[in-house]
Amino acid sequence: MFRSLRRAVCVAVAAFLLPLAGVQPAGAAGPGDGTAAGATAGTAATTRAAAAGEGYWHTSGRRILDASGQPVRIAGINWFGFETDVRVAHGLWARDYKAMLDQIKSLGYNTVRVPYSDDILKPGAVPGSINHDGVNTDLRGLTSLQVLDRIVAHAGRTGLKIVLDRHRPDAAAQSALWYTAAVPESTWISNLKALAARYKGDATVIGIDPHNEPRDPACWGCGDTARDWRLAAERAGNAVLSVNPDLLVFVEGVQSYNGVNGWWGGNLMGVADHPVRLDVPGRLVYSAHDYATSVAQQPWFNDPSFPANMPGVWDKYWGYVFKQNIAPVWLGEFGTTLQSGVDQRWLSALVSYLRSTAQYGGDSFHWTFWSWNPNSGDTGGILKDDWTTVDTVKDGYLADIKAPGFAAGDPGGPGDPGGPGDPGDTAECAAAYTVSSDWGGGFNADVKVTNTGTVPLKSWKVTWTWSGSQRVTSMWNASYAQSGATVTAVNAGHNGALAAVGSTSFGFGGTPGGGSVPQVRCTAT
């Protein structure tokens, strides 16, 4: 995201979802017109819509089409962390990655933009800040790339798509240009090709954003190969397509063009005169970023006509690319804390500008909101600080532009069960301990057991160790053994089998009361 004022820190309204298969066919209406998409087609179209998004995608004019030619809409979220010094998606210190992806899908987002730095491609790069205590157990001992494999694999199984975003050359900071002294262009290109090859054949990964937020002194169309982002994007895009010609290449704008300044990566004015040329047709998507006052002030926020002036601003910087049918446009980042009235009006106007899914279907701008993470210092996130609770107000602003999810796939990449380097699905569970009553001399507690894996459980056991002298006096819906302060509870005959994401619970009485809640560990057996 835009970083001039950005500080790096370690942060449900249901969408109205309309199948995209029934929208007007390409060419039925003029680019930029105000007519609604065509009427829904009927049972056959509805059936086709259920499988929308299958296979690799390509572009046609301003639309993105799936392998069968159905229009699709990217309506997603940024989940950052692989670009930071922990070299992995943030929040895994609090939750299981599969539960996180499942929640993203349940809220009506269909795509995840995953920022990374080139550091994760260094040999032996390992992640930090992952909780393996009953969650993320299958990530123990993996490298950062192997964790990314697992995230891609689970996303594919749930029907989410992934866009990989080369966000930084290293974990230290973003760079204005696509290369630095420590990470030259040759390394940048080599790493992009390595990722393109790594996920070749896995249509969960639909594309790559080669460099995040090029800014001054980056130029567009100036011809200086050391600064011309348009030429660099062509080199990078063609390198990616040389090893995986099915991917989309998402090319961001710059900061300034012909003296007109905008958001970092948000200025696509140069496309009209100097379009990006890729060797494989139908693979280019232009990308812009746009933010509110919680990130930085811009002159248009002080215009007396605000927010009525904003569509004209967006048209000038990036919207015209879509409206003139040049190519699809993806708003890869936009966000705000929503604390000011200006920001609230900005987001409402922007959502309207991006075009309602109910009215336009796939003939719309694509987008990924910044961010899922609550720890984005100048925007906050869709999640609140506990990494679980949804900011329903912020999420609610996006309801009109959310879009249907995609058919769950059977990815064959390195993170897929049976794929190279993956031992396959494992049975996993997690447990949560809650004291339901405490009267000093004794207490009652409940333990909820959840299947956090992707395969059914046959049985489970839960263990914990009290810090005090507590002892179990009775237990229901499980059997137990206690040795000293350590208790092992095993499922009863009727509640050992749990489907994926299924849960059950057991309870017990104990004495004395007043003890602290222990950490619990669940083991699938």
Side-chain angles (χ1 to χ4, degrees):
M1 94 173 264
F2 181 87
R3 298 300 200 282
S4 65
L5 294 182
R6 179 165 176 74
R7 50 199 184 277
V9 296
C10 298
V11 351
V13 176
F16 177 64
L17 302 181
L18 185 74
L20 302 185
V23 303
Q24 66 193 77
D33 66 21
T35 60
T40 54
T43 304
T46 303
T47 301
R48 290 195 302 272
E54 288 186 343
Y56 282 104
W57 300 351
H58 61 281
T59 68
S60 176
R62 67 189 191 182
R63 298 185 183 188
I64 299 177
L65 308 178
D66 69 8
S68 64
Q70 297 183 77
V72 293
R73 185 178 200 182
I74 297 172
I77 197 81
N78 285 268
W79 183 14
F80 67 80
F82 276 100
E83 82 281 19
T84 69
D85 58 0
V86 299
R87 298 171 299 281
V88 75
H90 283 183
L92 300 189
W93 54 75
R95 295 181 65 190
D96 188 86
Y97 75 97
K98 294 184 293 297
M100 205 91 78
L101 290 166
D102 292 345
Q103 187 180 23
I104 289 171
K105 177 70 180 296
S106 73
L107 290 172
Y109 302 100
N110 61 27
T111 304
V112 183
R113 181 176 182 253
V114 179
Y116 71 90
S117 85
D118 291 77
D119 281 353
I120 71 167
L121 287 102
K122 293 179 178 178
V126 295
S129 300
I130 299 181
N131 177 12
H132 299 297
D133 186 10
V135 294
N136 301 308
T137 55
D138 61 324
L139 304 184
R140 186 180 285 111
L142 300 186
T143 66
S144 293
L145 276 179
Q146 288 171 334
V147 172
L148 180 59
D149 294 340
R150 295 299 176 93
I151 288 175
V152 168
H154 190 74
R157 285 191 291 268
T158 61
L160 290 168
K161 298 295 185 180
I162 298 288
V163 176
L164 300 175
D165 155 46
R166 195 276 196 151
H167 209 75
R168 302 176 180 177
D170 55 51
Q174 286 183 228
S175 60
L177 299 173
W178 53 96
Y179 62 90
T180 63
V183 184
E185 178 170 317
S186 58
T187 299
W188 173 58
I189 294 287
S190 175
N191 286 342
L192 288 171
K193 291 174 67 175
L195 285 173
R198 188 177 188 89
Y199 298 109
K200 185 175 182 178
D202 182 353
T204 301
V205 179
I206 55 168
I208 293 180
D209 182 345
H211 181 59
N212 183 67
E213 294 182 345
R215 63 182 188 273
D216 296 345
C219 62
W220 188 290
C222 68
D224 180 352
T225 56
R227 298 189 303 116
D228 192 333
W229 166 238
R230 177 254 199 161
L231 295 178
E234 291 177 350
R235 295 193 295 272
N238 287 326
V240 164
L241 295 172
S242 72
V243 296
N244 190 343
D246 293 315
L247 291 175
L248 296 174
V249 178
F250 297 86
V251 177
E252 297 188 28
V254 290
Q255 179 182 355
S256 303
Y257 182 74
N258 285 347
V260 180
N261 188 65
W263 294 109
W264 293 358
N267 191 333
L268 288 168
M269 294 171 64
V271 169
D273 298 322
H274 306 285
V276 170
R277 302 155 299 185
L278 297 179
D279 294 338
V280 181
R283 296 295 181 267
L284 174 63
V285 178
Y286 288 105
S287 175
H289 291 181
D290 204 278
Y291 279 99
T293 63
S294 64
V295 173
Q297 278 288 343
Q298 295 282 9
W300 43 81
F301 295 127
N302 297 318
D303 189 298
S305 65
F306 177 86
N309 63 316
M310 291 309 302
V313 172
W314 295 319
D315 282 350
K316 179 177 74 172
Y317 282 101
W318 45 269
Y320 80 93
V321 176
F322 171 84
K323 292 188 174 183
Q324 294 180 19
N325 205 34
I326 296 170
V329 174
W330 174 50
L331 195 60
E333 292 184 18
F334 63 107
T336 167
T337 60
L338 278 184
Q339 292 179 357
S340 74
V342 169
D343 285 23
Q344 293 162 19
R345 293 192 295 275
W346 166 85
L347 184 56
S348 180
L350 180 57
V351 165
S352 178
Y353 182 82
L354 295 178
R355 298 165 70 101
S356 161
T357 302
Q359 188 174 8
Y360 295 102
D363 187 28
S364 304
F365 292 94
H366 305 272
W367 57 275
T368 43
F369 188 75
W370 189 278
S371 62
W372 180 243
N373 307 48
N375 59 327
S376 174
D378 43 17
T379 65
I382 292 298
L383 292 184
K384 295 188 176 183
D385 287 346
D386 62 1
W387 282 95
T388 299
T389 305
V390 175
D391 184 334
T392 55
V393 173
K394 187 177 291 187
D395 182 65
Y397 271 85
L398 306 174
D400 284 348
I401 56 173
K402 290 182 181 179
F406 306 118
D410 185 18
D416 184 53
D422 193 319
D425 277 336
T426 56
E428 304 168 25
C429 58
Y433 178 118
T434 304
V435 176
S436 55
S437 60
D438 190 323
W439 56 92
F443 67 98
N444 287 326
D446 297 303
V447 178
K448 182 179 180 180
V449 177
T450 301
N451 180 351
T452 58
T454 57
V455 296
L457 296 187
K458 296 180 179 179
S459 59
W460 48 262
K461 67 178 180 180
V462 175
T463 59
W464 67 88
T465 300
W466 279 307
S467 58
S469 58
Q470 285 73 29
R471 297 196 64 82
V472 176
T473 56
S474 62
M475 184 172 289
W476 47 96
N477 292 326
S479 59
Y480 76 96
Q482 182 167 354
S483 176
T486 299
V487 178
T488 300
V490 177
N491 62 271
H494 64 275
N495 64 356
L498 287 178
V501 307
S503 62
T504 188
S505 62
F506 66 92
F508 64 91
T511 187
S516 59
V517 173
Q519 288 195 343
V520 292
R521 179 184 298 274
C522 184
T523 304
T525 58

